Amino acid sequence: DPLMTSMSRLAERLRPGSIFITFTKSLNSDQFKVLKKERLDMSWGPATVYVQRRMAGDEPRSENVSKNEYFDNLESSSGDDDDDEEDSD
């Protein structure tokens, strides 16, 4: 797919640690690791979401995804914060 190949080459210019999110297909690059792949309902219908991180040159691709602090923190703080604001009146 020429579009994904082009996007992948541009994404490879990002600094290591950068997060790149795509829908339906992952990037075509060995410089990115898929941290999370999940099928989600979008306004246009179901889509597979790929959360990918730009790796450092010496980083092994076999890292355990569950040890990624960024996503562990993101998932634990994904509750509905709007309720908290209403309770503070």
Side-chain angles (χ1 to χ4, degrees):
D1 179 350
L3 176 61
M4 289 307 292
T5 299
S6 179
M7 261 197 330
S8 298
R9 296 298 81 81
L10 289 171
E12 288 173 352
R13 297 180 185 177
L14 296 171
R15 285 185 273 179
S18 296
I19 301 296
F20 202 98
I21 299 172
T22 59
F23 295 90
T24 308
K25 298 179 180 181
S26 63
L27 292 171
N28 301 325
S29 174
D30 60 357
Q31 295 181 32
F32 281 83
K33 179 181 349 185
V34 175
L35 300 176
K36 190 165 190 171
K37 174 185 172 186
E38 188 172 347
R39 187 108 169 134
L40 298 173
D41 290 330
M42 301 295 171
S43 61
W44 61 86
T48 303
V49 178
Y50 292 87
V51 179
Q52 299 146 105
R53 183 172 50 85
R54 171 76 160 78
M55 297 184 309
D58 59 348
E59 184 178 350
R61 290 186 58 87
S62 61
E63 177 184 316
N64 187 344
V65 171
S66 66
K67 293 182 180 177
N68 185 300
E69 291 179 21
Y70 176 81
F71 288 100
D72 289 343
N73 292 335
L74 182 66
E75 289 174 357
S76 67
S77 67
S78 64
D80 186 10
D81 293 335
D82 291 338
D83 291 338
D84 294 339
E85 291 177 15
E86 290 176 13
D87 293 340
S88 63
D89 290 343

